[in-house]
Amino acid sequence: MIPIAKPYITEEDARAAYDTILTGWITQGPKVQEFEEKFAAYTGAKYAVAVSNCTTALHLSMIVAGITVGDEVICPSLSYIATANAITYVGGSPIFAEVEPGTYNLDPVDVERRITSKTKAILVVHQIGFPADLDAFQALSIKYNLTIIEDAACAAGSAYKEAKIGSHSDLVCFSFHPRKVISTGDGGMITTSRQDYYERLKMLRQHGMSVNDRIRHESKEVVFEDHVEVGYNYRMTDIQAAIGIKQLEKLDWIVNERRKVARFYNEAFRGLPHIKLPAEQNGQFSNFQSYSIYLKAGYGLKRNELMQLLLDWGIATRRGVMTTHRESAYKRSHKEVVLPISEDMQDNSIILPLYVPMEQEEVIYIAETFCAMIKNPKAFSAKVENF
Ligand SMILES: Cc1ncc(COP(=O)(O)O)c(C=O)c1O
């Protein structure tokens, strides 16, 4: 079975975790600080704050952006549910907007239509590693005085108009879950160039404490901390950060390898009937966190039937990105929401395996099987009827 994804974790990464454990400093400490400094330098942001995952990064970003009860935040429904959840956590209302056909990313024109006097922010997602049209959202932010928060869970190593994701807005949130391009097991990061955000984020992720453990430990004088506001335990451990530092060193190489596989797929699938391939446009540089294909209307086989067929032939796939407004958690409160493009993208997209390193034979097997299956699924299963 060819899996959908595998984290690229090496001996070197494992050794970094091992060595860190033996230092005796195993939760947030010097390795977290080093990872933050290196991640900020990599993205071109002034500061970075490491946290336990991207969901907690988004939650803290909502707090420092001042989102509160009754505020509206516009976001895509076509995203992992954590995007909308972060808004809900602070009492805000996620206002779901449409994505652009084919790009998986928010449509700035539809976003503008949904702005009201209650709108406080736009939560822009760089879906499956493809940067959203940040220039358009920054223009909306200026026109309507809105905060831009970027959900870059999938976008470490991606770039928009030559600048790395993480450098464009005041709050950009990353994930290091194993399904992402680099991983620390679980883990997250917020980049910002605002010192006030930086200071508050560091405090909030550690119970609202005015002094962190490392500073207390290094001090030659007795230090007493205050808990300045109600905070959270959203710390990253030094064990995770040690892995993250090593992963970050490999990030550009990993992205390059992923792009090679994506290019191979694109070449192999070009010209196939009924499918739309992922394509970079408008200054996008994608890390290809996922390789997602859209099945156009008129293809004889249903998306789920194709997924089953691929599984029967040893290739794991996933459905396209979810639509949050159709999940039970949001269905009742968002009954009136209809997003035909997002719904179509979810229902008719299919994600193929992509990881590093991928054996040449695996890539060739997937490409050949997929091409042959798209053209003639009946040759692969007696169960296929009416094609
Ligand atoms: C777009 C998006 N936002 C947020 C998250 C949540 O990330 P984490 O699992 O690190 O909390 C994910 C995870 O898949 C995601 O894809």
Side-chain angles (χ1 to χ4, degrees):
M1 177 64 61
I2 301 177
I4 186 76
K6 282 185 204 171
Y8 181 63
I9 307 283
T10 65
E11 283 277 327
E12 177 192 52
D13 304 333
R15 217 171 306 117
Y18 179 90
D19 291 344
T20 301
I21 292 167
L22 294 183
T23 66
W25 200 306
I26 51 177
T27 192
Q28 182 184 282
K31 285 290 172 194
V32 164
Q33 189 183 351
E34 185 184 338
F35 187 29
E36 290 171 340
E37 286 167 4
K38 290 186 167 161
F39 198 85
Y42 175 85
T43 57
K46 217 161 169 183
Y47 309 105
V49 178
V51 287
S52 47
N53 53 62
C54 185
T55 309
T56 54
L58 289 165
H59 183 193
L60 295 188
S61 295
M62 290 295 146
I63 296 171
V64 300
I67 310 301
T68 186
V69 179
D71 291 342
E72 293 181 354
V73 177
I74 302 177
C75 69
S77 167
L78 192 83
S79 185
Y80 188 58
I81 196 165
T83 304
N85 283 350
I87 302 164
T88 307
Y89 293 160
V90 294
S93 302
I95 304 298
F96 296 123
E98 227 0 327
V99 294
E100 292 173 317
T103 75
Y104 301 91
N105 280 328
L106 266 183
D107 175 358
V109 175
D110 193 54
V111 168
E112 185 164 16
R113 254 184 244 129
R114 293 171 198 267
I115 293 172
T116 70
S117 58
K118 292 185 184 164
T119 310
K120 291 286 159 31
I122 307 171
L123 179 47
V124 178
V125 182
H126 305 300
Q127 202 48 266
I128 59 171
F130 279 71
D133 187 358
L134 286 172
D135 280 355
F137 294 111
Q138 270 152 10
L140 289 180
S141 134
I142 293 164
K143 187 169 171 190
Y144 296 97
N145 191 25
L146 304 174
T147 303
I148 300 291
I149 300 164
E150 292 177 48
D151 180 341
C154 304
S158 295
Y160 175 75
K161 300 205 169 157
E162 313 285 320
K164 286 262 157 55
I165 294 298
S167 60
H168 300 88
S169 309
D170 287 331
L171 291 162
V172 188
C173 303
F174 295 87
S175 171
F176 305 124
H177 178 272
R179 269 290 269 123
K180 305 303 185 284
V181 171
I182 57 171
S183 182
T184 58
D186 259 311
M189 190 75 81
I190 309 161
T191 57
T192 181
S193 289
R194 276 186 59 163
Q195 194 180 351
D196 56 340
Y197 282 1
Y198 172 61
E199 301 295 346
R200 188 149 180 238
L201 287 166
K202 280 197 302 179
M203 216 170 52
L204 283 170
R205 66 140 176 224
Q206 193 184 2
H207 303 291
M209 248 167 95
S210 58
V211 187
N212 76 31
D213 291 334
R214 188 181 48 78
I215 290 173
R216 257 193 325 191
H217 177 74
E218 287 167 0
S219 176
K220 299 281 175 273
E221 286 165 24
V222 177
V223 177
F224 295 98
E225 72 283 2
D226 179 27
H227 292 85
V228 180
E229 60 179 313
V230 175
Y232 303 85
N233 178 359
Y234 286 171
R235 284 184 296 247
M236 175 183 275
T237 70
D238 258 26
I239 307 166
Q240 292 168 296
I243 300 169
I245 292 163
K246 292 294 167 198
Q247 287 269 289
L248 185 61
E249 288 168 9
K250 296 188 266 290
L251 176 53
D252 284 339
W253 178 83
I254 292 172
V255 169
N256 198 35
E257 292 299 300
R258 299 183 74 89
R259 290 174 61 83
K260 279 190 209 162
V261 178
R263 262 199 306 273
F264 186 92
Y265 282 156
N266 275 352
E267 283 305 313
F269 303 153
R270 203 173 303 285
L272 279 181
H274 302 297
I275 67 168
K276 188 169 176 1
L277 300 175
E280 291 169 322
Q281 43 195 296
N282 303 329
Q284 290 178 323
F285 175 90
S286 175
N287 64 6
F288 278 92
Q289 183 269 336
S290 288
Y291 184 87
S292 184
I293 281 175
Y294 171 73
L295 289 178
K296 294 182 194 164
Y299 181 58
L301 211 57
K302 295 250 180 327
R303 190 272 313 268
N304 295 0
E305 291 171 326
L306 180 62
M307 287 176 73
Q308 186 59 52
L309 215 50
L310 283 160
L311 193 62
D312 293 343
W313 286 78
I315 302 169
T317 59
R318 292 288 180 272
R319 66 175 181 169
V321 180
M322 66 195 283
T323 44
T324 305
H325 72 282
R326 295 195 293 183
E327 293 295 313
S328 298
Y330 285 92
K331 233 191 251 170
R332 241 170 299 126
S333 54
H334 289 74
K335 275 199 291 287
E336 76 294 353
V337 175
V338 182
L339 297 165
I341 300 168
S342 303
E343 291 167 18
D344 180 46
M345 300 281 287
Q346 179 190 16
D347 296 343
N348 294 299
S349 296
I350 177 165
I351 295 176
L352 293 186
L354 177 45
Y355 46 87
V356 173
M358 243 177 135
E359 301 298 330
Q360 184 78 353
E361 302 88 76
E362 289 175 319
V363 187
I364 292 172
Y365 175 73
I366 294 166
E368 289 182 351
T369 310
F370 188 79
C371 286
M373 229 173 239
I374 287 283
K375 288 180 191 155
N376 185 15
K378 271 187 178 156
F380 289 82
S381 170
K383 284 187 226 150
V384 174
E385 294 162 8
N386 310 322
F387 184 77

